Amino acid sequence: MSTTVQSKGAHSPAQTHRHSRKLRDVPVALVFLAPAIFGFLLFYLWPMIRGLQISFTDWDMISTPHWVGFDNYRKLIGDHHFGHALVVTAIYVVVNISTQTALGLAIATLMQRISHSTLIRSLLLVPWLVPNVTIAVITLFVLDPNVGLLNHMLSYLNVGPIAFYSNPDIAIYTVALVNSWRNMGYTALLIFAGMQIIPTMVYEAAEIDGSSTWRTFFSITLPLIRPILVMVVVVSTIGSFQIFDTVAVATKGGPVNSTRVIYFYIYEKAFQQGQMGYAAAMAVVLLLIILLMTLVQLRVTRATETDLG
């Protein structure tokens, strides 16, 4: 009996053909990726590098930048307005993400159980398609304490009038809930799409075992859509830290700085007070905070793992 032993490291003709085919596909792949790579380098990577460079200077955007090293970062430590802006932003992020995710999850569950209508899914996206500036202008009228529709409706319940945007105790919560309403439809569609990958046989088995609706939701649906849910929360958190337009239009950081989020404070320093270097330093710190929070979220929630076999 004779055997043919292939030497270690040798490749069969089929493997060689597949390898050469992959090499031929590389130029084609690069052609399709080139616009995205170019856009990333031009609009993301270069501005980040330039912003980091500016953060080490004292620059009013008119005169020549003056190198100051880490002075801007040292100044941040004693800036209580910066600390206050971070706290206000944190409040906004917590309220916005919790309500937006909870409402989106509830809507997605209702869509899965009641209706898969394309029309309903399209209508859910309407608020998300409207720019934040437009939403802010509309809600200024709707929430107005004197002529606003919501306060008019609350008057029938002997409640109000409530100055939603003018009361420093509730202004930031109003901004957060307005943006939750705007984004909850888009969040619901993302979660709903994640629910579609769950095999129907899993629900059928749970129904045969006598599982209740709530038990099925918490023991099957939530664990199986965890990667999608984590992705939605992480992306929404990053977006929430960048809140600016609603504040700029509706409250301008007031009343008494109760809605002065970090992005608006950076804008004030850069374009109203001409401290571009200091504003860039705040932007770099914000980037590090968002990066750290994202890594913690991904690690704690085990986003790369799935319970689907």
Side-chain angles (χ1 to χ4, degrees):
M1 181 178 63
S2 62
T3 59
T4 303
V5 180
Q6 189 174 12
S7 62
K8 186 177 180 180
H11 298 285
S12 66
Q15 290 175 324
T16 304
H17 176 71
R18 284 196 298 267
H19 180 69
S20 61
R21 185 177 179 180
K22 288 180 180 179
L23 291 178
R24 290 196 303 268
D25 289 341
V26 169
V28 179
L30 290 176
V31 170
F32 284 100
L33 289 174
I37 295 174
F38 177 77
F40 173 77
L41 295 176
L42 181 63
F43 298 109
Y44 288 93
L45 185 59
W46 171 246
M48 287 175 59
I49 296 174
R50 180 61 177 155
L52 180 62
Q53 179 185 3
I54 293 173
S55 70
F56 295 105
T57 66
D58 180 12
W59 185 37
D60 58 5
M61 296 185 294
I62 299 176
S63 58
T64 303
H66 175 64
W67 184 266
V68 295
F70 287 94
D71 285 356
N72 288 325
Y73 293 94
R74 283 191 285 265
K75 184 179 176 182
L76 282 176
I77 299 175
D79 187 353
H80 69 277
H81 291 296
F82 175 70
H84 176 74
L86 284 178
V87 172
V88 171
T89 305
I91 294 173
Y92 170 85
V93 170
V94 170
V95 176
N96 179 250
I97 295 304
S98 59
T99 54
Q100 176 181 317
T101 305
L103 291 172
L105 188 58
I107 294 172
T109 304
L110 290 175
M111 289 174 61
Q112 185 188 36
R113 291 186 169 274
I114 298 176
S115 174
H116 288 200
S117 171
T118 303
L119 176 62
I120 293 178
R121 279 180 276 177
S122 301
L123 291 176
L124 285 173
L125 277 179
V126 171
W128 180 73
L129 295 174
V130 179
N132 264 345
V133 172
T134 306
I135 294 292
V137 173
I138 293 173
T139 55
L140 273 175
F141 289 98
V142 174
L143 302 179
D144 187 270
N146 299 315
V147 298
L149 176 61
L150 182 56
N151 273 298
H152 181 68
M153 296 172 63
L154 290 175
S155 65
Y156 290 106
L157 302 175
N158 295 321
V159 177
I162 301 175
F164 290 97
Y165 280 131
S166 303
N167 187 337
D169 295 327
I170 63 173
I172 190 62
Y173 300 100
T174 301
V175 174
L177 293 176
V178 165
N179 283 305
S180 292
W181 168 78
R182 176 184 180 268
N183 295 310
M184 66 180 183
Y186 180 70
T187 301
L189 285 182
L190 292 177
I191 297 174
F192 176 74
M195 289 179 174
Q196 304 314 297
I197 67 175
I198 303 177
T200 55
M201 65 181 67
V202 177
Y203 289 113
E204 293 171 355
E207 186 177 355
I208 293 174
D209 291 339
S211 177
S212 64
T213 301
W214 288 105
R215 180 65 182 275
T216 300
F217 176 75
F218 285 105
S219 299
I220 296 177
T221 303
L222 274 184
L224 294 184
I225 66 170
R226 186 182 67 247
I228 302 297
L229 201 57
V230 171
M231 182 271 293
V232 170
V233 171
V234 169
V235 173
S236 300
T237 301
I238 295 173
S240 294
F241 268 98
Q242 300 173 8
I243 176 63
F244 171 79
D245 32 20
T246 307
V247 171
V249 173
T251 65
K252 294 179 175 58
V256 293
N257 295 332
S258 61
T259 60
R260 184 196 261 176
V261 291
I262 186 63
Y263 253 54
F264 191 77
Y265 186 47
I266 292 174
Y267 163 78
E268 286 182 323
K269 286 295 182 182
F271 299 104
Q272 293 184 357
Q273 301 177 21
Q275 301 181 34
M276 180 59 74
Y278 188 59
M282 286 192 287
V284 171
V285 172
L286 179 61
L287 173 64
L288 295 176
I289 292 174
I290 294 176
L291 179 62
L292 178 61
M293 288 191 60
T294 301
L295 293 176
V296 170
Q297 285 179 310
L298 294 176
R299 183 64 180 270
V300 171
T301 56
R302 297 178 293 121
T304 58
E305 302 176 15
T306 178
D307 296 326
L308 283 173

